[in-house]
Amino acid sequence: MTTDRGGPAPHDRRWKALAVCLTAAFMTLLDTSIVNVALPSVEHGLRASTAELSWVMSGYALTLGLALVPAGRLGDLRGRRQTFLAGLALFTLASAACGLSSGAAWLVLFRLVQGASAGLIAPQTSALIQQMFQGAERARAFGMMGSTIGISTAVGPLAGGLLIQTAGGPDGWRWVFYVNLPIGVAVFCAALRLLPHSTGAPGKRECFDVPGVLLLGSGVLALMLPLVQEQQWHGRLKWALLPVSAGLLAAFWAWERRQGRRDRAPLVDLRLFSLRSFTLGALLSLVYFGGFTTLFFVYTLFLQNGLGYGALAAGLSSMPFAVGSAAGAAAGGRLVVRFGRKLVIAGLCTVTAGMLGAVAAVHWVPGRGVAWAAALPLLVAGIGSGLTISPNTTLTLSLVPVRRGGAAGGVLQTAQRIGAAAGVAVVGSVYFAHLANHANPATALQYGLLTSVAIILLALCLAFADLRERRVHAQPEQRREAARQEA
């Protein structure tokens, strides 16, 4: 590995720098789910309305998704280290402001800022991995990143429950945000010392594509708003934003093509989508996140609202998935170089088997014992998830030029955020529709989980399609990309 200044970086320094990046990623990803169990405490402490609570939860995901692609390109242009540090500092300050909020409106505002700053950090992590590692070491690093994603997603409710129970009182929710302060300061100090220096690429034509940012941001906003607000915005009028989104994204695509023809640096290099590995991998990631992230949404709702579990108990019930995800991602990082897309297919099959096992546990085990019965299936599903996320990330970014790594990572993670929002909207609709029809909560959960399984099976079809494309086009594509890398 070489730094952007051309000098060699010591082996152990790279892994320490990776630990810094993954700690920041864990902290920002944890905030997507840790707040869920704090909402009752926020409602009591700040007298927040239902709409304000909705924005506390969904506003973070919304601004995070909006920031990812521009932040990735900013890192490519101005330096990943500088962008990472700026995002981390802003995230830490926003966390402090969230904890100090005197009213629900202020909390919503600072959550929006917190999400945008998390979006600054996220694409730098994958880009720095591409910059610092090659070959099998890169696969191992992405495996560790996959473990981070899986664990942070699953452990959020548990961490939130522990913090609120320990703090107690009407202001217990504030510690969900204050916990980020010592972590953020420590990671910032370590990043200053360990991350490779980067001068970016501010060439003559390498300017920031402001019209592209506005078109893409507007398109993603119009797409995500009805998804993240699906339960709060009643009626069908909200879906009118989807054709608006399609028009804006089409205009963005046309503008980026124009930028490329004029030899100006676009926000997203559309040549990335000529790489089958990138296009199918990003699409698979979008669909898979639409399936697996919904598990925690409906499962924790069922445990708390249907069975009367407390926040801490509901969080503990999701731990088998987190443990399995960590183990699966660690193994996936080692095995992906050997097995490639076949490993992702095996992972998706394992996730499907685990989630079907959870459906069976809910069906056959009545009452509060369901969490124990579902523990083993969730462990299996977690292992499969670990074997899916990190290998898919490695394969998706494997042929992307390092100088476009930030933008490519931003596109990939935007796909994940959109997929997660769409999945929650679809599966949540199924779950709440059955509850509204006076179905047993266990029956509603089963239908919700089966919907998630159907989404994951669609991702499995994409994985088979990618495997077939790789077999047909492997040699020509590798020769073309070798020439591009040299250019």
Side-chain angles (χ1 to χ4, degrees):
M1 190 274 290
T2 60
T3 66
D4 283 5
R5 290 179 176 174
H11 180 274
D12 60 341
R13 186 184 181 92
R14 288 181 296 160
W15 294 102
K16 289 178 181 177
L18 176 64
V20 168
C21 292
L22 295 184
T23 303
F26 180 86
M27 180 174 63
T28 57
L29 288 168
L30 191 69
D31 268 58
T32 62
S33 59
I34 194 174
V35 175
N36 292 5
V37 295
L39 292 180
S41 179
V42 172
E43 182 179 21
H44 178 68
L46 294 181
R47 301 182 185 275
S49 67
T50 302
E52 288 169 331
L53 290 176
S54 171
W55 275 99
V56 168
M57 183 174 64
S58 62
Y60 182 91
L62 186 64
T63 52
L64 190 156
L66 290 174
L68 285 167
V69 174
R73 185 62 182 139
L74 183 65
D76 290 341
L77 287 174
R78 301 292 180 249
R80 290 153 192 158
R81 180 178 186 270
Q82 295 92 317
T83 308
F84 180 94
L85 289 170
L88 184 58
L90 184 59
F91 182 87
T92 305
L93 291 172
S95 297
C98 286
L100 292 169
S101 297
S102 58
W106 285 110
L107 179 58
V108 170
L109 174 62
F110 294 132
R111 276 289 280 176
L112 295 174
V113 176
Q114 194 187 34
S117 58
L120 278 174
I121 296 170
Q124 315 315 322
T125 301
S126 59
L128 283 165
I129 289 174
Q130 286 181 278
Q131 177 183 326
M132 294 189 295
F133 299 98
Q134 298 291 333
E137 285 190 336
R138 179 184 290 179
R140 181 184 169 195
F142 275 125
M144 296 170 70
M145 181 178 167
S147 296
T148 301
I149 294 172
I151 294 174
S152 61
T153 303
V155 84
L158 172 61
L162 281 171
L163 286 167
I164 291 170
Q165 181 168 302
T166 301
D171 289 332
W173 62 269
R174 298 183 187 274
W175 290 96
V176 168
F177 301 106
Y178 287 152
V179 72
N180 292 329
L181 304 186
I183 301 173
V185 171
V187 172
F188 186 88
C189 294
L192 279 175
R193 185 171 62 90
L194 293 170
L195 291 188
H197 287 276
S198 174
T199 57
K204 180 179 179 180
R205 292 185 178 270
E206 292 283 314
C207 55
F208 201 62
D209 183 8
V210 175
V213 170
L214 295 175
L215 286 170
L216 180 62
S218 301
V220 172
L221 180 64
L223 175 61
M224 290 189 68
L225 264 178
L227 297 176
V228 299
Q229 293 294 107
E230 199 275 335
Q231 297 300 322
Q232 288 71 36
W233 289 0
H234 302 292
R236 298 180 179 179
L237 185 60
K238 59 178 175 282
W239 301 116
L241 285 173
L242 295 185
V244 174
S245 170
L248 289 168
L249 292 177
F252 167 74
W253 189 274
W255 170 260
E256 296 299 283
R257 289 187 62 185
R258 180 173 178 270
Q259 288 289 91
R261 287 196 299 267
R262 296 174 64 184
D263 196 27
R264 294 182 179 177
L267 181 65
V268 176
D269 189 346
L270 298 183
R271 289 176 296 179
L272 290 173
F273 295 98
S274 68
L275 302 174
R276 293 177 179 86
S277 57
F278 180 80
T279 303
L280 285 174
L283 186 58
L284 188 152
S285 190
L286 182 151
V287 175
Y288 177 67
F289 269 71
F292 105 95
T293 55
T294 57
L295 168 65
F296 308 105
F297 176 65
V298 294
Y299 187 57
T300 54
L301 277 177
F302 166 73
L303 293 177
Q304 291 181 275
N305 299 337
L307 298 182
Y309 277 49
L312 179 58
L316 282 169
S317 298
S318 65
M319 279 303 293
F321 189 99
V323 172
S325 181
R334 294 194 301 269
L335 298 174
V336 64
V337 175
R338 180 178 177 184
F339 294 104
R341 186 58 69 185
K342 292 179 181 177
L343 186 63
V344 176
I345 292 172
L348 289 168
C349 291
T350 305
V351 175
T352 301
M355 293 189 71
L356 289 175
V359 172
V362 174
H363 180 75
W364 293 109
V365 179
R368 295 172 66 88
V370 68
W372 290 102
L376 181 59
L378 289 179
L379 177 67
V380 172
I383 292 172
S385 186
L387 292 174
T388 300
I389 294 175
S390 61
N392 183 62
T393 302
T394 302
L395 295 168
T396 302
L397 299 177
S398 61
L399 297 178
V400 173
V402 173
R403 61 189 175 86
R404 299 293 184 189
V411 170
L412 180 61
Q413 293 182 63
T414 300
Q416 294 171 355
R417 294 303 104 210
I418 293 173
V424 168
V426 172
V427 176
S429 294
V430 172
Y431 177 76
F432 288 115
H434 282 85
L435 287 181
N437 290 331
H438 308 290
N440 184 289
T443 302
L445 176 63
Q446 290 174 62
Y447 279 108
L449 292 179
L450 288 173
T451 305
S452 296
V453 169
I455 296 172
I456 291 171
L457 289 175
L458 177 58
L460 183 61
C461 293
L462 291 170
F464 274 113
D466 190 18
L467 179 63
R468 179 180 177 277
E469 290 291 329
R470 283 173 181 270
R471 287 175 173 173
V472 173
H473 299 283
Q475 294 303 321
E477 183 169 274
Q478 287 174 0
R479 285 196 295 268
R480 286 197 303 270
E481 288 316 304
R484 287 180 185 172
Q485 292 276 9
E486 291 175 1

